[in-house]
C-alpha cells in the first residue's frame, strides 16, 4: 500500500489539501496519508517528522494554487531553501519518489524558469487538475492513481 505525502501552502490551498487528506484517508486509511498538522504528533521536532514522512512516502501530491509561486504580498518563498514546501519537494525528487502536481483554483503548472534549480524536475511531471466544477469526478479519478 502506498504512503502518500500531501505538500501544500496553507494560505494558498489548505481547503483542497484538507479535502485530499479526507478522501485519501477514507480510501487508504489515516496511517497511509501524511499532511503536516494532521499527522505530526505533539512534541516531535517538525523537521525530523517531515524528513521521516518524506523518506517513507511512495507518492507526494504537490497542491499548487494561484499563490503557490508568489504569495499575495509578492514574496517568492520557494527561493528560500529553508521553505518547507521547497524542502519537501526537493527531498521527494532527490529520492525519486513519484511526485504529482495537483492544480487547484485555476492554477497553471509552473515553468522551469520559475523554480529554483532543485525543483525544476517538478515541471516534467504530469499534473492533475482538481476542478471545483467536477470535484466528484476528479475525486474518483484521483483515487484510481
Amino acid at each position: 500500500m502506498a504512503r502518500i505525502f500531501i505538500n501544500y501552502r496553507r494560505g494558498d490551498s489548505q481547503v483542497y489539501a484538507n479535502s485530499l487528506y479526507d478522501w485519501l484517508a477514507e480510501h487508504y486509511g489515516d496511517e497511509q496519508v501524511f499532511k503536516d498538522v494532521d499527522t505530526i504528533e505533539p512534541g516531535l521536532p517538525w523537521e525530523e517528522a517531515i524528513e521521516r514522512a518524506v523518506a517513507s512516502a511512495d507518492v507526494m501530491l504537490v497542491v499548487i494554487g494561484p499563490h503557490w509561486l508568489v504569495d499575495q504580498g509578492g514574496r517568492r518563498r520557494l527561493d528560500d531553501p529553508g521553505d518547507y514546501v521547497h524542502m519537501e519537494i526537493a527531498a521527494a525528487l532527490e529520492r525519486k519518489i513519484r511526485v504529482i502536481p495537483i492544480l487547484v483554483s485555476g492554477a497553471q503548472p509552473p515553468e522551469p524558469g520559475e523554480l529554483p534549480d532543485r525543483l525544476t524536475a517538478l515541471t516534467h511531471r504530469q499534473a492533475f487538475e482538481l476542478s471545483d466544477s467536477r470535484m466528484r469526478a476528479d475525486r474518483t479519478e484521483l483515487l484510481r492513481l
Side-chain angles (χ1 to χ4, degrees):
M1 183 168 298
R3 293 247 329 136
I4 304 162
F5 188 108
I6 301 173
N7 169 283
Y8 70 103
R9 290 208 181 279
R10 286 191 188 110
D12 182 51
S13 54
Q14 184 165 1
V15 171
Y16 293 97
N18 290 344
S19 293
L20 286 167
Y21 179 84
D22 290 344
W23 299 345
L24 295 165
E26 178 183 312
H27 189 77
Y28 295 108
D30 288 336
E31 66 284 348
Q32 297 303 318
V33 185
F34 181 91
K35 183 174 87 58
D36 64 6
V37 295
D38 291 335
T39 314
I40 296 176
E41 295 176 32
L44 287 179
W46 181 269
E47 286 185 27
E48 181 181 322
I50 296 291
E51 188 175 307
R52 277 193 212 160
V54 172
S56 69
D58 298 303
V59 177
M60 177 181 282
L61 303 180
V62 178
V63 185
I64 299 173
H67 300 290
W68 185 78
L69 276 173
V70 179
D71 69 16
Q72 293 171 338
R75 227 176 19 155
R76 285 184 45 91
R77 291 179 286 179
L78 280 178
D79 292 332
D80 175 3
D83 173 57
Y84 282 103
V85 168
H86 178 139
M87 291 188 318
E88 293 166 4
I89 297 168
L93 292 170
E94 288 166 8
R95 288 181 168 88
K96 309 253 186 272
I97 293 169
R98 183 178 181 189
V99 177
I100 304 172
I102 307 289
L103 305 174
V104 300
S105 297
Q108 297 298 308
E111 296 292 329
E114 296 177 307
L115 299 177
D117 289 343
R118 293 176 66 197
L119 304 183
T120 57
L122 181 65
T123 64
H124 303 289
R125 304 298 192 276
Q126 179 64 34
F128 182 90
E129 183 182 353
L130 189 58
S131 170
D132 292 340
S133 64
R134 47 174 214 274
M135 192 73 77
R136 177 175 256 166
D138 288 346
R139 176 184 187 262
T140 301
E141 185 178 342
L142 182 65
L143 292 174
R144 280 191 239 149
L145 297 177

